[in-house]
Amino acid sequence: MTDTILVINAGSSSIKFYLYDIDGAQELAPRLGGQLEGIGTSHPKLRVRDAAGQTLVEREIAPGHAPDVPNAQEVVGTWLSGHLGGAPLAVGHRVVHGGPELSEPVLIDDAILAKLDTFTPLAPLHQPNNLAPIRVIRERRPWIPQVACFDTAFHRSHSDVADRYALPERLYQQGVRRYGFHGLSYEYIAQRLRKALPDIADGKIIAAHLGSGVSACAMHHGKSVDSTMGFTALEGLPMGTRPGRLDPGVVLWMMERGMNHDEIEHLLYHDCGMKGLSGISNDMRELLASDAPSAKLALQYFAWRVAEGMIGLACAMNGVDGIVFTAGVGENSAEIRQAISEHWGWLGIKLDPERNARHGPRISADDSRIGVYVVRTNEELIIAQHTLALVRQR
Ligand code: ADP
């Protein structure tokens, strides 16, 4: 039986999983990818496809079998062990928060798990769901090594200045820091640039992860220098359902109006961003297809504020050698990339319409002062690579 690495990315309503074969040359070859979605709803569904995109399974799961993430993980685990006829060599997990110190993936033991629990207040919506499958696997198959890979880790190379808000030092010491997120995606971009665009890979790069969550990262010599996201995944650029930049006075105003913590939290994570501004949807495809003035307003807001936030990162590096778009919107929407780039016309940045329509890799015109590129992200592969490397070290 070929050894495999399993990668798990668990959220509140879905578990995504990816299986990689470790081939003879120690390379990782994708074997299958799946998702159990609708956790906690009346119609959870398991869908798995092989590397060629052929459906291996697509079926409804009885709601009683997937009322929460731990039970859903059982369903996934049972299907996988039936399909594989064994267990993976190791499991790598996406864990959103590694706190102030963890700058590398780690093998999980009880002490690490207890430490990761303490970061739950810093990422209340993500961290518990990320940790739930780890617990289930430790309980049911304790012999399988598990590795946690953090969205914050790539940003631990930030300077003291980039790590801070202009707040009293004691708050910094208590953990109020600019952690930054989407680090696994940026780490992949840095790795990919070395292969695909070696001329700029060591240069000053502004990369923008435009998915349901949205952020941008300044990278120099392949390391993160600054991020538009900070203490939580709310800061910075506008997102599908999160506002991005916001005067903290707005939160004080909401509190004064009697909204409690949970109501404000729900509003900020689920009802703002493109969804709140358009009143239509958080999905860019729907907004692009809509004639409603509020959809146009939301798209204009997105392009303007994303353009502003991305180019502002140039200050962290005193220059830019290349700009990279990635994730759902960044990889697939020529229209939104064009709308963002129009705010940079004064800098001599120009897209080539045909290259942009083909989704790159290079989308800028030959006479653009700075090259603009589309690079498909692959966070799962980064997790699989780290997991294999740590298991090998052991
Ligand atoms: P996640 O952060 O959930 O992993 P993705 O990176 O897959 O998200 O991005 C999801 C978003 O990408 C969707 O909400 C949708 O708005 C957007 N998207 C996907 N395809 C397109 C497209 N062709 N045009 C515009 N937006 C798209």
Side-chain angles (χ1 to χ4, degrees), residues 16 209-213 282-285 288 327-329 332-333 336:
K16 294 182 187 155
H209 179 109
L210 313 180
S212 349
N282 60 317
D283 193 318
M284 290 297 195
R285 287 163 292 199
L288 288 165
V329 180
N332 297 306
S333 179
I336 291 176

Side-chain angles (χ1 to χ4, degrees), residues 134-357:
I134 299 177
R135 291 210 157 81
V136 171
I137 294 170
R138 272 178 83 69
E139 207 175 288
R140 300 296 156 94
R141 299 173 181 86
W143 60 88
I144 302 181
Q146 299 194 78
V147 171
C149 299
F150 308 106
D151 271 310
T152 50
F154 187 63
H155 301 296
R156 299 283 58 75
S157 48
H158 288 184
S159 67
D160 264 0
V161 177
D163 210 28
R164 276 182 159 78
Y165 292 104
L167 291 170
E169 177 66 12
R170 77 188 133 77
L171 290 174
Y172 180 78
Q173 295 307 335
Q174 286 166 17
V176 183
R177 304 179 183 206
R178 300 195 67 250
Y179 295 100
F181 298 88
H182 288 141
L184 297 162
S185 178
Y186 295 125
E187 188 178 348
Y188 176 79
I189 300 294
Q191 183 184 96
R192 185 72 202 136
L193 288 180
R194 287 199 190 286
K195 279 205 183 122
L197 296 162
D199 291 350
I200 60 162
D202 265 324
K204 299 167 179 176
I205 304 293
I206 295 171
H209 179 109
L210 313 180
S212 349
V214 172
S215 76
C217 175
M219 298 193 276
H220 195 191
H221 301 301
K223 292 204 184 324
S224 173
V225 179
D226 196 9
S227 160
T228 57
M229 271 183 179
F231 180 55
T232 67
L234 286 173
E235 190 186 345
L237 311 181
M239 312 182 208
T241 60
R242 291 168 257 165
R245 60 179 272 175
L246 184 72
D247 181 341
V250 175
V251 176
L252 296 176
W253 180 87
M254 290 192 276
M255 288 167 71
E256 191 147 356
R257 289 278 168 121
M259 283 176 76
N260 65 31
H261 168 277
D262 289 0
E263 288 165 342
I264 297 174
E265 182 177 82
H266 187 88
L267 178 84
L268 294 177
Y269 279 94
H270 298 289
D271 289 335
C272 295
M274 295 299 97
K275 182 180 168 194
L277 201 46
S278 69
I280 295 173
S281 172
N282 60 317
D283 193 318
M284 290 297 195
R285 287 163 292 199
E286 273 186 60
L287 300 185
L288 288 165
S290 168
D291 289 330
S294 64
K296 295 225 157 11
L297 176 79
L299 290 168
Q300 280 171 357
Y301 183 93
F302 186 84
W304 178 342
R305 294 306 178 194
V306 169
E308 176 190 34
M310 284 176 73
I311 221 62
L313 290 173
C315 298
M317 306 180 288
N318 219 338
V320 192
D321 298 316
I323 294 175
V324 175
F325 287 106
T326 194
V329 180
E331 292 166 17
N332 297 306
S333 179
E335 202 174 330
I336 291 176
R337 291 191 301 256
Q338 175 61 34
I340 293 169
S341 305
E342 276 169 17
H343 291 278
W344 303 328
W346 60 281
L347 282 168
I349 298 173
K350 236 190 282 176
L351 297 195
D352 176 287
E354 275 173 32
R355 289 176 186 164
N356 189 30

